[in-house]
Amino acid sequence: MEYDGHSRAQSLVAVEMRESNAATHDGNAIDTVDFESLEFIFFTGAGSGDFDMQLQESDTGAFGGEENIVVADDIIGTQTTSSAPNELTQVGYIGKKRYCRLTILATNSPFADLGAIAILSRPRSMPVADQ
């Protein structure tokens, strides 16, 4: 199991695949308990548009106003804007809050498809639960 990546990571849906319709898309709350690393992979499908990503963190996971925007020092990579179809952007979170979510603001993208996954890794115990 020393080199087994499958037993050391868990993948979750961060933002359900959808058509952007030039709107704000709040992702799912990702619970980082028992993991030391969180990576978001944002992807676009057919169509093109402009997308701004924002990471938010919370102690409670409610995301009802108590959350904070993640400071730049707790982000690995850039929250870049993508305008091409079929593109991936990877952003890492190294903050210490229990919950994190990705929010995507789509502008100038009436028919672009988008979505994101979260990858939790560096578990405190292995193997992680079956996926």
Side-chain angles (χ1 to χ4, degrees):
M1 188 170 5
E2 184 176 345
Y3 298 105
D4 174 16
H6 185 80
S7 298
R8 296 172 183 239
Q10 182 177 22
S11 301
L12 303 165
V13 174
V15 178
E16 289 86 11
M17 184 71 180
R18 64 184 69 178
E19 190 172 271
S20 65
N21 295 325
T24 299
H25 305 285
D26 290 330
N28 298 321
I30 305 299
D31 187 351
T32 65
V33 72
D34 295 331
F35 290 90
E36 296 179 7
S37 177
L38 172 59
E39 194 79 16
F40 289 98
I41 299 176
F42 166 72
F43 54 89
T44 57
S48 63
D50 297 321
F51 307 99
D52 292 318
M53 294 178 283
Q54 181 183 81
L55 294 181
Q56 300 172 344
E57 61 187 4
S58 167
D59 285 321
T60 68
F63 291 95
E66 87 295 345
E67 71 274 1
N68 294 306
I69 296 172
V70 176
V71 296
D73 288 347
D74 288 341
I75 297 172
I76 299 174
T78 59
Q79 299 174 72
T80 58
T81 302
S82 173
S83 60
N86 302 313
E87 223 174 53
L88 294 174
T89 303
Q90 192 169 328
V91 178
Y93 171 70
I94 57 172
K96 301 302 179 209
K97 300 287 184 178
R98 179 168 173 178
Y99 298 92
C100 188
R101 79 172 177 184
L102 176 66
T103 295
I104 301 168
L105 174 60
T107 58
N108 191 28
S109 54
F111 301 109
D113 296 326
L114 60 85
I117 60 169
I119 300 174
L120 292 160
S121 61
R122 296 186 61 211
R124 292 192 177 97
S125 65
M126 293 185 295
V128 297
D130 289 337
Q131 299 186 43

